[in-house]
């Protein structure tokens, strides 16, 4: 067991992780029912909105230029404030155009926070500590999501959806404002390169990010949509499902971190993509409400395995390339994320099974490239 000495950066990121978890829980729980029941969107519009949601992710390569004028930890806090604003005003614009605008704002904050969060973690924790810190943050985020899910389950029974969006969005913004005035820098780290960094030796990191974005977006865009549209899930049922998922994440995320340190990224990512291949095929060919729920839970759990892509990069990259490369990696991750949802939405209109078959294909391709990770890369000394 690797002990992590908590420091100002650990505590700083903890609060922002909680805010991001609340945002993700609120948006994920309310969005599909708000979109279907209030706005009345169809499968193509869902895919379009999900694609637009990923445009800020594609633009994360610009983070390195923003960091020329704003310190990285402050950008994390500002991104959280923007995330909260997008959530807060979602319910005030119950149209397709309104969903597009508010989703874009929320997503811009979320993706810039995720980029800086990963970068700060890799810079301020060593190669043994980083997987454990990622695992713990996943657990903390899961607990925050469970608590938020419980309050959402209660509040949707008492208040209209637009009020729920507003209240939780304000909470997220308050956390961001609080963090904005904190200084978590406790040690000097390697100076980061100014400007974009793209290197041939990082090609596998780029490919794995691209494929991860493709399969992830199929899950985000269509898994809950499947439960709501095909199996008639209510807001309360979705909230309960999210709570159950996050309860399992709380216990499994630290084990994933231990697995990365003990087995290496190659084996852990292999487990992820073998599992996902069967999960996506299950979505497509097993038309059963309970099985769909089980597959969703499994799918959600293996999400945390993806931290292996970032820890693999940390173990092979030059220390000064971390911040700019996180932005580039996130942007590459979202090239497919911008395209896949809208293409999947068109395919859904023809046959709802097709996007999930696509997910299985991407998982098999990912499995092939994961085998390119050198076997000897496990734990490196600092």
């Amino acid at each position: 067991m690797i002990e992590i000495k908590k420091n100002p950066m650990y505590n700083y990121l903890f609060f922002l992780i909680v805010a991001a978890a609340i945002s993700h829980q609120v948006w994920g729980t309310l969005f599909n029912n708000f979109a279907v029941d209030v706005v009345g969107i169809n499968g193509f519009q869902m895919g379009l909105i999900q694609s637009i949601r990923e445009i800020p992710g594609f633009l994360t390569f610009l983070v390195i230029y923003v960091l020329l004028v704003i310190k990285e930890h402050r950008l994390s806090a500002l991104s959280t404030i923007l995330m909260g604003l997008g959530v807060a005003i979602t319910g005030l614009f119950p149209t397709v155009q309104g969903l597009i605008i508010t989703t874009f704002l929320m997503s811009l904050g979320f993706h810039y926070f995720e980029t800086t969060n990963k970068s700060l973690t890799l810079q301020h924790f060593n190669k043994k500590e980083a997987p454990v810190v990622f695992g713990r943050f996943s657990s903390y985020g899961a607990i925050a999501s469970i608590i938020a899910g419980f309050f959402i389950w209660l509040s949707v029974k008492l208040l209209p959806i637009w009020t729920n969006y507003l209240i939780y969005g304000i909470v997220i913004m308050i956390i961001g404002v609080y963090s904005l005035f904190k200084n978590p820098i406790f040690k000097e780290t390697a100076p980061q390169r100014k400007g974009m960094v793209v290197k041939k030796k990082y090609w596998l990191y780029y490919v794995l990010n691209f494929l991860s974005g493709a399969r992830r977006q199929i899950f985000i865009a269509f898994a809950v949509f499947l439960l709501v549209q095909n199996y008639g899930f209510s807001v309360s049922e979705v909230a309960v499902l999210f709570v159950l998922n996050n309860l399992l994440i709380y216990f499994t995320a630290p084990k994933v971190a231990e697995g990365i340190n003990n087995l290496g990224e190659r084996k852990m990512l292999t487990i992820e993509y073998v599992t996902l291949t069967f999960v996506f095929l299950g979505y497509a060919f097993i038309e059963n409400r309970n099985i769909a729920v089980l597959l969703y839970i499994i799918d959600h759990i293996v999400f945390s395995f993806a931290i292996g892509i970032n820890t693999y990069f940390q173990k092979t990259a030059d220390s000064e390339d971390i911040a700019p490369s996180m932005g580039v990696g996130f942007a590459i991750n979202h090239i497919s994320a911008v395209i896949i949802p809208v293409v999947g939405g068109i395919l859904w209109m023809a046959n709802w099974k097709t996007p999930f078959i696509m997910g299985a294909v991407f998982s098999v391709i990912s499995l092939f490239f994961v085998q390119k990770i050198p076997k000897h890369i496990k734990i490196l000394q600092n």
Side-chain angles (χ1 to χ4, degrees):
M1 178 68 69
I2 297 174
E3 291 298 324
I4 304 297
K5 185 178 180 179
K6 296 182 181 180
N7 55 57
M9 183 58 73
Y10 186 99
N11 297 329
Y12 184 84
L13 291 176
F14 166 80
F15 284 104
L16 296 180
I17 289 288
V18 168
I22 295 172
S23 174
H24 186 264
Q25 183 72 20
V26 172
W27 196 87
T29 303
L30 300 179
F31 180 78
N32 283 274
N33 289 90
F34 181 70
V36 173
D37 300 334
V38 179
V39 181
I41 70 173
N42 57 37
F44 170 73
Q45 291 168 330
M46 173 62 78
L48 176 63
I49 292 170
Q50 294 288 1
S51 286
I52 291 172
R53 184 175 70 86
E54 297 305 328
I55 291 176
F58 173 69
L59 297 176
T60 50
F61 70 91
L62 297 175
V63 162
I64 192 61
Y65 299 108
V66 179
L67 294 180
L68 293 175
V69 294
I70 301 175
K71 291 184 177 180
E72 193 164 10
H73 66 277
R74 296 201 187 283
L75 180 56
S76 272
L78 288 170
S79 298
T80 302
I81 295 170
L82 184 60
M83 190 192 322
L85 176 63
V87 170
I89 65 175
T90 295
L92 303 179
F93 300 94
T95 64
V96 174
Q97 293 81 1
L99 277 180
I100 289 173
I101 294 171
T102 56
T103 296
F104 184 87
L105 288 177
M106 180 280 300
S107 180
L108 185 63
F110 177 79
H111 284 98
Y112 272 55
F113 166 70
E114 282 294 296
T115 302
T116 52
N117 165 42
K118 288 180 173 60
S119 173
L120 289 168
T121 301
L122 295 178
Q123 289 179 64
H124 287 271
F125 299 92
N126 65 43
K127 297 176 179 69
K128 290 185 179 180
E129 292 174 335
V132 178
V133 172
F134 278 128
R136 287 189 184 180
F137 283 167
S138 292
S139 290
Y140 298 150
I143 286 296
S145 294
I146 290 170
I147 295 172
F150 174 73
F151 280 103
I152 294 168
W153 181 77
L154 290 176
S155 60
V156 293
K157 297 178 182 294
L158 304 173
L159 301 168
I161 289 183
W162 74 266
T163 307
N164 280 273
Y165 273 124
L166 183 62
I167 292 172
Y168 294 113
I170 290 173
V171 170
I172 296 163
M173 293 173 68
I174 289 173
I175 296 174
V177 171
Y178 168 80
S179 299
L180 186 61
F181 296 97
K182 297 292 182 180
N183 182 11
I185 304 301
F186 69 100
K187 69 174 184 178
E188 291 296 323
T189 58
Q192 298 298 291
R193 292 186 188 275
K194 307 300 182 182
M196 191 182 304
V197 172
V198 179
K199 293 185 177 180
K200 183 178 179 180
K201 71 176 184 176
Y202 301 150
W203 74 270
L204 183 56
Y205 169 70
Y206 301 147
V207 170
L208 291 176
N209 264 296
F210 177 83
L211 293 169
S212 176
R215 76 91 178 161
R216 182 173 59 89
Q217 287 312 307
I218 292 173
F219 169 73
I220 291 175
F222 300 108
V224 176
F225 191 59
L226 172 73
L227 297 178
V228 172
Q229 187 170 86
N230 288 28
Y231 299 113
F233 270 57
S234 65
V235 173
S236 295
E237 287 176 315
V238 172
V240 170
L241 180 59
F242 274 36
V243 168
L244 177 59
N245 281 339
N246 285 296
L247 184 62
L248 292 172
I249 288 292
Y250 173 75
F251 291 106
T252 58
K255 300 298 181 184
V256 172
E258 289 180 18
I260 289 173
N261 274 333
N262 295 329
L263 301 176
E265 286 80 0
R266 174 174 169 153
K267 288 184 178 179
M268 293 300 290
L269 291 171
T270 295
I271 293 171
E272 175 187 7
Y273 289 117
V274 168
T275 302
L276 285 173
T277 300
F278 289 103
V279 165
F280 280 122
L281 291 175
Y283 278 136
F285 297 108
I286 304 176
E287 297 183 42
N288 179 282
R289 193 178 198 265
N290 294 329
I291 295 296
V293 169
L294 178 62
L295 293 172
Y296 183 83
I297 292 172
I298 296 172
D299 202 338
H300 200 80
I301 289 173
V302 297
F303 254 13
S304 56
F305 283 52
I307 67 175
I309 297 175
N310 293 311
T311 57
Y312 157 69
F313 176 76
Q314 184 192 34
K315 292 173 182 177
T316 58
D318 299 328
S319 57
E320 66 270 21
D321 289 343
I322 290 178
S325 294
M326 285 298 102
V328 171
F330 231 57
I332 290 172
N333 180 280
H334 288 77
I335 293 173
S336 54
V338 171
I339 300 170
I340 292 297
V342 69
V343 172
I346 295 171
L347 295 174
W348 178 288
M349 299 298 288
N351 186 330
W352 64 267
K353 296 182 178 183
T354 310
F356 299 115
I357 295 173
M358 270 177 41
V361 172
F362 280 122
S363 297
V364 171
I365 296 172
S366 300
L367 182 62
F368 169 79
F369 280 103
V370 161
Q371 308 316 306
K372 303 294 183 181
I373 295 177
K375 291 183 179 180
H376 67 275
I377 295 180
K378 287 188 180 180
I379 303 174
L380 302 181
Q381 299 298 322
N382 295 284

